[in-house]
Amino acid sequence: MAMGLPRLVATAFTLTLVSIFLPLPFSLAGEITSIESVPDLQRLMYVAVDGYPCVRLLNLSGEIGCSNPGLSKVVAPIIKLKDVKDLVQPHTVLVTPDEMEDFFTRHVPLVSNDLSFASKIGGVLIESGSSFQQKLKGLSPDNMFPQAEFSPYGNVEYKWNPTASSIMWKAYNFPVYLLSESGMSAVHEFLSKKERKHKTYTSDVAEFSMVMETTKAGTHNSEACLQEGTCLPLGGYSVWSSLPPINVSSSNNRKPIVLTVASMDSASFFRDKSFGADSPISGLVALLGAVDALSRVEGFSNLKKQLVFLVLTGETWGYLGSRRFLHELDLHSDAVAGLSDTLIETVLEIGSVGKGLSGGINTFFAHKTRVSSATNKTLDALKVAQDSFASKNIKILSADKTNPGIPPSSLMAFMKKNPQTSAVVLEDFDTKFANKFYHSHLDDLSNVNSSSVVAAASVVARTLYILASDNKDTSSSALGSIQVNASFVEELLACLLSCEPGLSCNLVKDYISPTNTCPGNYAGVMSGEPSSNPYLGSVSDVSRFLWNFLAEKTSVQKGNTTSVCSKGSCSRTDQVCIKAESNKEGTCVVSTTRYVPAYSTRLKYADGAWTILPQNTSDSMGMVDPVWTESNWNTIGLQVYTVQHSAYDNAVLVARITVTTLAYFGIMVAKSFITKALKQD
């Protein structure tokens, strides 16, 4: 008992000293908390941040996009752009949408020219939020003349896209993330806590996990990375369908084709935030609204022309879809069985149609490829369709004759392939884009007007009927019966242009089982062997939905006359199996609906790998094809946490050594004093 008393007193003395110098355990977020497990500690220290990365893309001449500069994670303190002065170490710069264009066009060029300053940017975080859209005059990371190298005319300096900054076509050797709403809240919460507590000894840092395989392997162009297997080519699957179905087994009595075209893919600075609401999804939705309306009209088999609907993907990246479609026509492949380029009489493309409403009138502009009888028929049909509406709230105008030619569109590929193509593209603009957020993450659902899309769908549906029937009688009962379902158009816009409900909406889930909720509308990559009958796991949600939707709407057999299909196959060659994903058993319908692979005509897939074909001087588009690829990666992630400055850590270390030393001497003194006291007793 007597020997334990010195130890007890010494322990109490030591704890008293420690309690003076060291605070109670606290979280790195600055809050006292209870930690019961390692996962609790991890959640307390590290906050995963949701966002949309800018990734590394490559072409034959080099790289664009973003990546960690080396082979490891990037960790850098967060600082707001407005607070940036003289940085002494790499920082993560927090940029608002209204600062984004100025940052990449003014600050970043300075960074790239000054290596000492370049090393001070560790990463970039871009804030999101719809509140910025109204304040911005425009934000388009694309070029003034998008994809000018594919133009069928010489004036490639024309400014179709006056708000362009071209920032998406440059390479950045630091990671860039667009923060989601929740991610932005997490970052601001970290920053505000530090400001409230005035802690100068801590830093809030962002940790970027965005190491590209092409960076690891040192493959910095498409040819090198395809050889090493560190990238995949951009592409996907286009879809076409005919109304009524085509008898593929017979080439007799084939009708002239009226081909209607729209695109399904868009692009932006950020891979998975490419809604492309006005450009091009408004045109896609208008096409689907027109198909839905025409599907309720009887007697198409008796009309003079054959309607064919074509929805392309990969158009943003060198018109991959349209060029491959035309190439498959040349090859007479299974993907286009039943079609012939010689039968295509006219092409009607539906471009950006989401911003046509102004002053109660929906105005659209018809841009034509050339003067021909077929083109004039299309223009006349558009006018007849316009006049057939009693409300008189739709106006079709011819584009300004001073325009250098058609605007950037899939028709450019058709014109480059055959300059004699008779075609019209319908747009919501005349001499320049009405969409000030062209190929921007801000081109979302709020950037289009559903009434404008409904109006475009209505005029297209009646125009196609007029062209197919060759009947210009506006009083025709059949023409008047063609009515677009506005509710269907609005539902489809919500499915394809938002994350709530997104692709989990009932309309989409009636046809497929989507793998994602948010429709990114980025073209994606070709992950396997291209085929007209592809493995569905390699086909995007939107392509699969379009295939099923068009197959049903253009089918002959409907309702109770259809038969059940098992394992996705039907007994008859003229049938396809629809809704097999959403139901345990699909339904067989007579329909001519096909997938068409969309990838560069300069690429060949053989023995499980992609190779680049030599240039062919007879293929003018192939001669300028960039051959876009996307780098592989293992993981992409972003998290934020608080760290203490090294100077503070050193001070704490010195303090702890001092405490330990004082405690030791204190214990020795106390022990000596108590021992003497006990002896005297």
Side-chain angles (χ1 to χ4, degrees):
M1 181 72 177
M3 292 301 294
L5 183 59
R7 291 194 184 122
L8 183 62
V9 173
T11 301
F13 180 72
T14 302
L15 288 175
T16 302
L17 285 174
V18 171
S19 66
I20 293 172
F21 285 97
L22 295 178
L24 288 171
F26 64 94
S27 75
L28 290 178
E31 298 174 352
I32 297 175
T33 189
S34 174
I35 301 174
E36 298 179 356
S37 64
V38 172
D40 287 343
L41 179 60
Q42 290 177 329
R43 284 191 294 269
L44 182 66
M45 295 175 65
Y46 305 101
V47 176
V49 177
D50 291 330
Y52 309 91
C54 162
V55 301
R56 177 69 80 219
L57 300 177
L58 307 93
N59 58 31
L60 292 176
S61 59
E63 301 171 308
I64 67 168
C66 316
S67 171
N68 282 18
L71 307 183
S72 59
K73 297 178 181 179
V74 170
V75 180
I78 303 171
I79 186 172
K80 295 179 180 178
L81 178 60
K82 63 183 181 65
D83 297 330
V84 171
K85 293 179 182 178
D86 296 323
L87 301 179
V88 296
Q89 63 175 357
H91 275 68
T92 298
V93 183
L94 182 62
V95 179
T96 61
D98 54 338
E99 297 170 330
M100 178 178 172
E101 183 174 308
D102 184 66
F103 175 77
F104 283 104
T105 56
R106 294 181 59 189
H107 293 276
V108 172
L110 292 175
V111 169
S112 60
N113 293 329
D114 183 351
L115 296 179
S116 63
F117 189 60
S119 63
K120 302 304 185 292
I121 292 188
V124 179
L125 300 177
I126 308 293
E127 296 188 40
S128 60
S130 57
S131 60
F132 290 100
Q133 285 172 289
Q134 300 301 321
K135 297 190 299 180
L136 288 172
K137 293 182 180 179
L139 178 61
S140 173
D142 209 330
N143 294 324
M144 295 258 185
F145 192 142
Q147 304 195 89
E149 62 269 30
F150 293 97
S151 171
Y153 48 85
N155 185 5
V156 295
E157 301 300 321
Y158 189 81
K159 298 178 180 179
W160 287 107
N161 184 23
T163 61
S165 63
S166 303
I167 60 175
M168 67 181 283
W169 301 110
K170 299 175 183 177
Y172 306 99
N173 290 318
F174 47 78
V176 183
Y177 266 78
L178 172 68
L179 298 172
S180 66
E181 294 287 346
S182 62
M184 194 164 60
S185 298
V187 170
H188 279 289
E189 182 180 358
F190 262 77
L191 295 177
S192 63
K193 282 181 178 179
K194 181 177 180 180
E195 290 173 357
R196 288 197 306 267
K197 296 181 180 298
H198 304 289
K199 290 185 176 180
T200 58
Y201 56 84
T202 63
S203 291
D204 299 313
V205 302
E207 180 184 278
F208 299 88
S209 298
M210 205 171 83
V211 178
M212 299 286 112
E213 290 295 320
T214 52
T215 303
K216 285 184 178 180
T219 51
H220 299 300
N221 61 59
S222 289
E223 186 170 16
C225 71
L226 288 173
Q227 288 177 349
E228 294 297 323
T230 57
C231 65
L232 287 171
L234 296 192
Y237 283 90
S238 303
V239 178
W240 72 271
S241 186
S242 65
L243 181 67
I246 298 172
N247 184 358
V248 177
S249 61
S250 173
S251 59
N252 297 328
N253 301 319
R254 291 282 176 87
K255 299 177 181 179
I257 292 173
V258 176
L259 179 64
T260 309
V261 179
S263 298
M264 71 172 86
D265 76 294
S266 185
S268 81
F269 196 89
F270 306 99
R271 182 187 192 276
D272 300 316
K273 192 71 169 180
S274 305
F275 284 128
D278 186 43
S279 309
I281 302 301
S282 64
L284 168 61
V285 173
L287 172 62
L288 299 183
V291 172
D292 178 62
L294 291 171
S295 70
R296 296 188 289 272
V297 178
E298 300 293 335
F300 263 97
S301 58
N302 300 322
L303 299 184
K304 298 180 180 180
K305 308 286 176 62
Q306 175 74 54
L307 294 183
V308 174
F309 309 104
L310 173 63
V311 184
L312 299 163
T313 191
E315 293 301 271
T316 307
W317 306 100
Y319 298 115
L320 298 177
S322 50
R323 287 172 52 217
R324 174 56 61 174
F325 173 77
L326 293 169
H327 185 63
E328 296 295 319
L329 284 176
D330 287 343
L331 297 176
H332 304 287
S333 71
D334 291 340
V336 292
L339 299 181
S340 170
D341 55 352
T342 59
L343 288 175
I344 299 176
E345 182 177 273
T346 188
V347 183
L348 175 61
E349 181 173 358
I350 313 174
S352 304
V353 294
K355 304 182 78 66
L357 181 63
S358 179
I361 303 295
N362 292 285
T363 304
F364 304 103
F365 295 89
H367 301 255
K368 62 184 179 183
T369 55
R370 68 186 187 96
V371 177
S372 69
S373 59
T375 302
N376 290 337
K377 282 183 179 180
T378 303
L379 294 174
D380 291 343
L382 284 165
K383 291 288 187 180
V384 172
Q386 164 198 285
D387 296 337
S388 69
F389 293 99
S391 61
K392 306 300 180 184
N393 66 342
I394 300 177
K395 184 182 293 185
I396 305 296
L397 300 176
S398 294
D400 195 320
K401 293 181 179 179
T402 63
N403 288 349
I406 57 173
S409 58
S410 299
L411 290 189
M412 287 193 165
F414 283 83
M415 286 295 291
K416 290 285 281 187
K417 179 72 174 178
N418 179 11
Q420 300 305 309
T421 301
S422 296
V424 171
V425 56
L426 197 65
E427 303 277 9
D428 56 15
F429 62 87
D430 185 5
T431 59
K432 60 184 180 181
F433 292 172
N435 182 9
K436 62 181 181 179
F437 299 125
Y438 182 81
H439 284 173
S440 163
H441 63 281
L442 298 176
D443 187 13
D444 58 19
L445 184 58
S446 66
N447 196 41
V448 295
N449 188 299
S450 62
S451 298
S452 179
V453 181
V454 171
S458 300
V459 76
V460 166
R462 295 193 180 188
T463 297
L464 293 178
Y465 184 82
I466 293 167
L467 289 173
S469 63
D470 204 16
N471 183 358
K472 298 180 181 180
D473 183 8
T474 58
S475 62
S476 167
S477 59
L479 189 63
S481 68
I482 300 174
Q483 299 289 336
V484 169
N485 185 341
S487 297
F488 166 78
V489 169
E490 291 171 359
E491 183 180 5
L492 194 53
L493 286 170
C495 295
L496 298 179
L497 295 175
S498 69
C499 294
E500 294 181 4
L503 297 178
S504 63
C505 67
N506 292 331
L507 175 60
V508 172
K509 290 175 69 176
D510 187 41
Y511 291 96
I512 66 168
S513 297
T515 56
N516 298 295
T517 299
C518 289
N521 297 334
Y522 170 70
V525 296
M526 294 293 290
S527 58
E529 182 176 9
S531 169
S532 59
N533 186 25
Y535 167 62
L536 294 183
S538 301
V539 183
S540 71
D541 289 337
V542 174
S543 289
R544 298 197 324 277
F545 163 68
L546 292 173
W547 187 93
N548 281 269
F549 175 85
L550 290 172
E552 182 188 50
K553 295 298 181 180
T554 61
S555 64
V556 172
Q557 297 178 0
K558 299 178 182 178
N560 296 328
T561 61
T562 56
S563 59
V564 173
C565 52
S566 60
K567 298 182 180 180
S569 61
C570 300
S571 58
R572 291 171 49 180
T573 57
D574 61 345
Q575 291 182 326
V576 294
C577 181
I578 64 171
K579 300 185 177 182
E581 289 184 52
S582 57
N583 303 321
K584 292 182 178 179
E585 293 180 326
T587 303
C588 287
V589 295
V590 175
S591 176
T592 310
T593 303
R594 303 284 185 269
Y595 287 113
V596 184
Y599 61 98
S600 172
T601 56
R602 290 283 310 278
L603 289 173
K604 179 183 178 181
Y605 186 88
D607 300 324
W610 293 92
T611 56
I612 295 178
L613 299 172
Q615 285 187 326
N616 183 352
T617 54
S618 64
D619 180 10
S620 60
M621 290 182 286
M623 293 291 289
V624 296
D625 187 354
V627 188
W628 288 105
T629 57
E630 178 185 88
S631 175
N632 300 335
W633 61 78
N634 288 326
T635 58
I636 286 185
L638 170 66
Q639 61 182 6
V640 294
Y641 51 91
T642 301
V643 296
Q644 294 176 161
H645 294 169
S646 59
Y648 180 78
D649 290 338
N650 293 335
V652 170
L653 177 61
V654 171
R656 288 179 174 175
I657 293 174
T658 302
V659 168
T660 303
T661 303
L662 291 174
Y664 174 77
F665 284 112
I667 291 170
M668 298 289 36
V669 171
K671 181 179 179 181
S672 174
F673 174 77
I674 294 170
T675 302
K676 289 180 180 180
L678 290 173
K679 285 182 178 180
Q680 290 177 357
D681 292 341

